[in-house]
Amino acid sequence: MIKKELVITIHELLIEKYGGIHGIRDVKSLESAIARPFMTFEKENLYPTPILQASALIESLINNHPFLDGNKRIGYVMMRFFLMQNRIDLKAT
């Protein structure tokens, strides 16, 4: 599970470093976005692999638009953070 406070703190740091508007637009949509990767149905994970969970996380953070600004930034950073917690890293050439 990803803590809401962690996402908010990282978002604030990103806004400070790269600019934009501070603030949360909708706390419930933030909570929904960070809960989605860990959802189950009949005790089965809807997103059974870390890659699928990371995909659900970035999509939800971007589409739910919980922050006033920087939703794509926080989505990308949290996806990378989650993958790295699971010992997976992206490599691009």
Side-chain angles (χ1 to χ4, degrees):
M1 185 60 73
I2 296 170
K3 303 272 186 202
K4 175 176 61 174
E5 295 77 19
L6 174 66
V7 179
I8 293 169
T9 299
I10 292 172
H11 179 264
E12 290 173 358
L13 292 170
L14 290 169
I15 293 295
E16 283 297 316
K17 182 163 178 88
Y18 299 107
I21 302 168
H22 285 278
I24 301 171
R25 185 187 63 81
D26 186 347
V27 173
K28 292 294 181 190
S29 68
L30 173 59
E31 292 169 347
S32 174
I34 60 178
R36 180 180 167 207
F38 309 102
M39 291 182 153
T40 61
F41 179 73
E42 294 185 354
K43 299 183 182 179
E44 296 289 325
N45 291 330
L46 294 178
Y47 307 97
T49 68
I51 291 173
L52 292 174
Q53 291 173 324
S55 299
L57 179 62
I58 189 173
E59 180 185 40
S60 292
L61 284 170
I62 291 170
N63 289 338
N64 287 10
H65 211 273
F67 295 99
L68 295 174
D69 197 7
N71 292 286
K72 289 184 280 297
R73 276 179 276 181
I74 192 64
Y76 175 77
V77 169
M78 293 311 302
M79 176 197 66
R80 289 290 307 272
F81 178 81
F82 180 80
L83 288 172
M84 291 177 84
Q85 281 187 317
N86 286 278
R87 296 190 169 115
I88 300 170
D89 197 8
L90 299 177
K91 294 185 181 176
T93 58

